[in-house]
Amino acid sequence: MNPTDIPLIETRDLKRHFTIRPGALARLLARAKNIVVSAVDGVSLKIWQGETVGLVGESGCGKTTLGRVISRLDIPTAGEIFFKGFSLREGLPSGGDKSTPIERLGFYRVAQVIFQNPYSSLNPRKTIREIIATPLINRGLKDLNEREETIIALLRRVGLHPRNLDQYPHQFSGGQRQRIGIARALAMQPQFIVADEPVSSLDVSIQAQVINLLEELQDEFHLTYLFIAHDLSLIHHISDRVAVMYLGRIAEEGATDDLYAQPLHPYTQALLAAIPSLDKAARRQRIILQGTVPSPINPPSGCRFHPRCFARVGSICENETPPFFEVGKQRVACWKYQ
Amino acid sequence: MKAIKILERVLTTIPIMFGVAIIVFFFIRLTPGDPVDIMLGRSAAASQREIEQLRHQFHLDEPLHVQLGYFLGDALRGNLGYSYIRNKPVVDLLVERLPATIEMTIGALLISLIIALPIGILSAVRQNSLLDRLSMAGAFLGISMPGFWLGIVLILFFAVYLQILPAQGRISYDVELQEVTGLYVLDSLLTGNLPALKDSLLHLLLPSITLGAGVAAIIARVLRSSMLEVLRSDYVKLARAKGATEWDVVMKHALRNALIPTVTVVGLQVGVLLGGNMIVETVFSWPGLGRLVVDAIFNRDFPLIQGAVMIYAITFVLTNLVVDILYTYLNPKITL
Amino acid sequence: MTNTPLLELKNLTTVFPTRRGLVRAVADVSLSLAQGELLGIVGESGCGKSVTMLSILRLISTPGRIAAGQALFQGRDLLKLSDGAMRQIRGKDIAMVFQDPLSTLNPAFPVGEQIRESLRIHHIAQNHFAREKERVIELMSEVGISSPTDRFHEYPHQFSGGMQQRALIAIALACEPKILLADEPTTSLDVTIQAQIMDLMRRINEARGTAIVLVTHNLDLAAEFCQRIAVMYAGRLVEIGTTDQVIETPQHPYTRGLLTCIPRISAQRTRIEPIPGNVPDLANVPPGCAFAERCSEMQPICQNDLIPFFEIAPGHLVRCLRHSSATPD
Amino acid sequence: ATPTPQVIEKVVEKPVEKIVEKTVVAERTVVVQPTAVPGRDTLVVALARAPSGIDPADHSSREAETVIRNLYDGLVTRDKTSGVHNEIAESIKWLDTKTLEIKLRKGVKFHDGSELKADDVIYTFERVFKPNAIEFPQPHTALRKGFLGPFGSAEKKDDYTVVVNFTAPWPAAMQMLVHTQIVSKAYVTKVGTKGLIEKPLGTGPFKFVSSKTGLEEVVLERFADYFGGAPDLTPVGKACVSRAVFRVIPENSTRVAALLAGEVDIITEVPAELVDTLKKVPGVQVKSVAGTRPIWMEFNVTQAPFTDVKVRQALNYAVDKNLIIKKVYNGLAQPLGGALMPTNNFADPSLKPYTYDKAKALALLKEAGWTPDASGMLMKDGKPLAFVIDTIDSLRPVTEAVATMLRDVGIDASVRVWEYNVVRPKLLARERQAYVGDWGDSAFDPVGHIEAKWHSLVTGSTYGRGNFSGYANARVDKLIKDGEIENDVAKRKVIYNEAQKLIYDEAPALFLVLPEAIEAAAARVQNWAPASDSRENLHDVCLK
Amino acid sequence: MTAHAPTRVARGWDYSFRIRLRLWWRALAELGYELWQRPVVLLGGIVVAAFILAAVFAAQITIHDPTRGTLLLRFEPPAWEAEGNWKYPLGTDDQGRDLLTRIIYGTRVSLAVGLLSVAISVIVGTALGAFAGYYRGWLDEILSRFADLLLAFPFLIFAIGVMAFLGPGFVNLVMALAFKGWVEFFRLVRGEVLGERTKEYVDGARVAGQSNLAIIVSEILPNVIQSVFVLGTLRLGYMIIMEASLSFLGLGIQPPTPAWGSMVASGRDYLLVAWWVSTFPGLAILLLVVAINIFGEGLRDILDPRLKIE
Ligand SMILES: Nc1ncnc2c1ncn2[C@@H]1O[C@H](COP(=O)(O)OP(=O)(O)OP(=O)(O)O)[C@@H](O)[C@H]1O
Ligand SMILES: Nc1ncnc2c1ncn2[C@@H]1O[C@H](COP(=O)(O)OP(=O)(O)OP(=O)(O)O)[C@@H](O)[C@H]1O
Ligand SMILES: [Mg+2]
Ligand SMILES: [Mg+2]
């Protein structure tokens, strides 16, 4: 098989539903039913080796959940994830890609996560050395000397000084912590990294440092990123391809430049129009969407965007879920492009 | 929906009460000391046959689980058995004694609230002031003071030295009071009996202070710290930004929210009050449940211990139920 | 711009004594706000934007205090008013919208009640309940809260973030203030909601002529919304000017850094340029220019002497020595 | 001011009469004047414990006796010491050694106005004696059965004469009859035991008014038709106070405080330590009388080391009873010279209490093989002489004092406090080593007492029911049984003297002390004195 | 050493241990500094330490035997009273035993009962709470229900019941207190673990390949242990009062072993003649518990970052 034909990561109709069970009595007396939160509701996504896929969407649309399911921190309700064509449900074939896969680590040997909150993603009771040593130990790096060297090299790579090794996370600034988190992820020598809003809690002046670092590392280690953010400018900057999520589903997907130049889905259009811009010329015609993102508990029928949509094509929007339509190189889930 | 939640919360108390009954049964029944021996008293000389008869009468000759069955079945029917020592149905004894205990517990709770609320609020508002420091020092003393010791000291000072408060009992014997509920203060109010009201209040004072001191201290501290937290919050800032007066800011915006954690603590403190009853009732000769149960424990009066401990546990469970419901009303966010 | 500013800050300085030392959260800030003006204050987290706003309303909590300066509102120094007089101004003349709507609404009271309180405090409807309620419902629909009669009795947690922010704005607008201090009103909201809220604020400004101070760390947002922008760094203003002046001809290295460190959507993807280093600890800000150690154009003198404002164009003030040729302000 | 809690110190302004005069050392005296409520005609007595019952046939505590004593009368009664006097009985005479003829006083009225007749007396006896005669709450035999001894039957000769047949001679009858109070047949058959408990009805000086919860408080009222009580015991007539209240105050300090605060008039069980203090308080009178609860430390003679009589005797020499009396009992106690308390009518005065003689104790222990090691601990075969003394809470001070004295001679004695009800079965099962306990002897006769403590245990009978030492001596057993049926006082004395001597010599117990019963009252209480059997008789008491 | 020698030499176990030690030492020094800033808390700590020292070295610092006295010396008043004697600084009790000696030895009992019962509660409660909170499911369900059940009993009533069941004595007392004491720690730890397990650092550890057990023990517990420690300190004071209360009711330690509660209890009969017998042990309880509480509260302030004003 030609390796370029096989995506590094592929999800097929991935779903993650959270069920909230009401008490027995409420069920009995008020006929209360299970509340199902369809956080991720049928996402099919392909990520190829070496690229950065940006995932944007408003708060609560399921970005984090999708990221967690893909990084196996959460179990999908339905659907499957493939790594290089192997279903993760069966587990990675031993000896598959890495020379010594450790069964317990499984997927984490090849995929890692960079978290959103630099303040809570590092254990406050552990020194930097311990934090970075953990994946190394679990990876099987037993030799102390070698481990120490590796830790120092990693730390240097992310732009921190080794003299800080024995300090605790709270002694670092947000940007520095995020670097530590990156070093921890790199320690596993992954191929794939899910980065869930890695800069959104950083000061603007620091954001750029981290983004640049991530870009450098990608080149250096041939990393593949799933980059989650709600900042459209940032996504534009960093991604090769972009997927726009709305209420648990992907609304539109395509190469970054295409998608920004010519947003197809009305939601994408509104999103892009809502970004404030310095450049008066670049300001698009303002589209102010009405209402807020509906709750994923009882998502609207048909196209999930239809209650807020300004470009409805008819009752089909309300009744039937739009499939993906290929428009040029973009894929868009909107009946308009039927 | 809220009603259902409350009902649900009410229903959860049922298995707890069953569990309480079972725990009490096993603990007490496995205790060494033969109840029949005790029933027969110090000087009686019972024959073996009589002993057997008694054992049979109280099902003491059956295996434990059968005894448990009898016990639970009877308990459901409101029959907690006979007190070996006092030769009376346990339920009657409990019903006789409960009002005194409830009265003192409520008295202590009220006193502690009367002391704690203003102190908690004021010392939070005037954080680090002399008042704050003094009351928090007092609160430390209150928490650390063993109740029995405080009671003795109070009696010596107020009853013996100053002679302004009675040292013991619930009411003076020369005060006539028609009992309605068994809560003397309430009864004297109901019957419009002012002398009895004054007398019973005076009698209630020292025991309530003794019992309530520690609780007052805890409530004051909890209230203070939650007030401090709330006073730092954004919505208090907003209230100020609206131009609200300091009184409104503190008493309305802050207090309402600070009371939420406090209420839970008050609920839990009722447990402390109920436990403390045993000691305070002993010190003040208060004819309540606490003394009854202490006596019963010393005399291995199983049915009475079972009954009394269950009543305590149930009172406590019910109080917390009430507190939880109150909590829902105070905290609109919580739906139990 | 009118001649007599509605609000004028003169050398406002607010400090917090902490165990690390004295934190100068706001140092020597002078600003003016005209009737109906839209002013943006931009700066990174912790640079003192919120404290400036709170100082205007005298809501600094102990042990913090306003150490120096004046805050002239229609010529009266707010900092010298009695507590009672100050309360009259809060909410009535100057209202504030806070950063985080969820923590700013009181969780224990219905939203409608909280809006009504503003009216009641300032006797807007003669403390007449029905009239007050009517007005509240009016306000709620004005800020775009749907079915206000039902939502009058709902509690904050039953509102979505955007609705909470609207409710906060309704509270602020209740007494038709002359100045609205909006402290990052959209930071915690999504872009589409942010657009809605900004639209609402713009309409308010247009309809009522309310002057708005928009505090944000999003330069783009400020640029789109405001007429004038002030850039803050480490407790001090570093650059003030009209939006065009600041955005198109930024003069302070920090302002320029801010403009280039965030990616922009444009046809050609430019590399973003991070500002090196970190924001200084406000408890020990270096004596000279606080930005000096992150500045690529730093001169030795920058680290030692406090840099004054230089007016490089009418109304465009910059605290940077590179402009020492211009006349110091 | 000194930090004593005897709070106010004032120079005494006027000399105050002391009822029981003892030397008052301090010139400055504590003045805590009980506030007298003017015109009050209610007498309040504070008891230390709630009465165990209020049915004359079915109780087992002294508090119950006290309350019942004021509600009911017996055929005979006792004075403040040990003398027995006719009360309802006009005369009592032995027809033969087993038959007693009782003539009843005429015109004795129950509280409901009916007259007391022979039927009531017979009914009372049968109610006490017959198995399962008490039907409430479950049918059971009266707890007071033992006080009727070898009761056989009672017959009515006429309305005012009852003949009681015993199955054996019963010389202790008079002292024992004091403890049986007469109930009304008509009333009890009508209301049942339950009714009797709820509203007692007797012929006593006081009528029942009300009681609270668990007899925490019992209120009585003067019975206007009272026949006057025992004619030998003045005053004869109706009760002096119009109301009497018994109230339970278990805490010693609270009880004293209540007296000082003027809330109660008489308190029982005053701790001996407080006597001196209370005596200094003007307006408080303190009185004591020889008690009826002798205290021993019983050795478990079935277990080493107490199988050895020398050890037992040695321990008797090792304890300084006089020091205990002086210090723990404030002088208000007598040393015990053996099995019977000195005030028992049959106590052998020639048996002198073991003297305190450490040297003798050590010598005896040496004979028994116990020798002190370097540290002074007594050792035998490499093992120390160590044992646990069990006791009950009220006797903890004396027990600790004994333990300390024993440790002084090199015995490793420690104390364990129990509830009586819990430790009793263990004692009877001979599971414990030594026990400091008391045993009431309120009948002043060996019967009811000596067979309980020193007769070997016969299960299912009264014999040995309180024999915690496991002492079993065939001769003593026989003597005890002989004494029970010997009507001749002189011969009885001989029998009991021999038994006492045997017990004294074999020392199954460390004979300790007989504490006095101490009570205190407000000064306005008149004509009051504690009774040695602690049956507080309020009939005589007046209020100033 | 050549210029090309590796900048760092091989590090063995002892190195990481040394690092740990240094970090602990630093943390301790920091704690010490924070304490130094709070004189009242420091004083509380010193008083507690003094009591602990007194308990440990009771035999060395006293000249009398705590269980031996002579009736001849019954109720000697404190030394400063008119008839006092400096040989018995706080006077003697009803058995003529030196009160100060007994109070010092009583510290042993109180502290031992308190520390042991708290220690058992902490160990049991923390272990169960951590597992229940981490794994949830039926284990959590059962334990939580059982904890709820135990919570339905007021502490003292429960302890009295257990003491009546087990009989008095040191070990039984500790068991009785711990039998209910663990519940608080269980609930605390369970709650905290529930909160911690959703934090990103736990995911971080999982992604770094940590096993569940390793996550509980080496990632989550260190974050929880501080609140456990603070609660433990405060509970210590409570347990001491409970011990005293049970001893007061006669369900505690057996004589002649000196225990504060039973000293107050037996002394209260003598209040009017010898106030000191009951008062000083009462004061000792008060002093120790106040000190513990002040210290515990102070620790909470220091350790709980939420209360720190930055
Ligand atoms: N454990 C859970 N139980 C129930 N609902 C959940 C759970 N986790 C997430 N959800 C719900 O699933 C939806 C998607 O959440 P998710 O965190 O994935 O959104 P997001 O796009 O990452 O939002 P944000 O931009 O705020 O991070 C939300 O409505 C959220 O409330
Ligand atoms: N109560 C306080 N005590 C001590 N320091 C304080 C206090 N309040 C604010 N500060 C300090 O003042 C500085 C400015 O805070 P401010 O809240 O004004 O920042 P900001 O610019 O609004 O930041 P953000 O964008 O995060 O809201 C911060 O460094 C902060 O640490
Ligand atoms: Mg997210
Ligand atoms: Mg701010």
Side-chain angles (χ1 to χ4, degrees), chain C residues 49-51 99 183-184 215:
Chain C
K49 306 182 297 289
S50 299
V51 174
Q99 194 161 353
D183 187 0
E184 312 202 23
V215 169

Side-chain angles (χ1 to χ4, degrees), chain B residues 96-132:
Chain B
E96 281 171 358
R97 296 291 193 119
L98 201 56
T101 293
I102 289 180
E103 183 164 42
M104 191 197 316
T105 310
I106 292 179
L109 196 60
L110 286 182
I111 290 235
S112 57
L113 288 177
I114 290 171
I115 299 173
L117 291 184
I119 285 187
I121 295 170
L122 271 178
S123 51
V125 173
R126 305 246 171 283
Q127 194 193 358
N128 294 331
S129 66
L130 185 66
L131 173 92
D132 179 27

